Amino acid sequence: MSEPSALAGLEPALVWERFAELTRIARPPKEEAAAREHVLAWAAARDLDTTVDAAGNVVVRVPAQAGRERAPTVVLQSHLDMVCE
């Protein structure tokens, strides 16, 4: 029997599911290509617009839901790499 996840029950659940996916990808500093490709593949599967700059930063644009087009924009920012010890 597997142990319950430390993330179980956290909300919003979909955000924590995506976070859990990323935690399974080794991505030390300057070696975050696999994490970048994971994010880009996730966005492509949903037909979302993406941009990658020269430094490897990724922007994924998620359009507003119908009726929410005039709502304030929300930005989620994060590092793709992690400190591995």
Side-chain angles (χ1 to χ4, degrees), residues 9-75:
L10 295 178
E11 294 292 332
L14 287 176
V15 170
W16 292 106
E17 287 176 30
R18 298 300 76 80
F19 177 78
E21 289 173 4
L22 281 171
T23 64
R24 292 188 285 275
I25 301 170
R27 54 197 195 284
K30 307 295 184 198
E31 296 181 26
E32 62 273 358
R36 181 181 307 105
E37 292 307 315
H38 175 79
V39 171
L40 291 170
W42 178 89
R46 289 154 182 81
D47 201 28
L48 298 173
D49 181 40
T50 61
T51 304
V52 181
D53 69 12
N57 297 304
V58 177
V59 174
V60 178
R61 290 176 183 80
V62 179
Q65 293 179 344
R68 300 285 298 162
E69 297 87 354
R70 297 179 61 81
T73 299
V74 174
V75 177

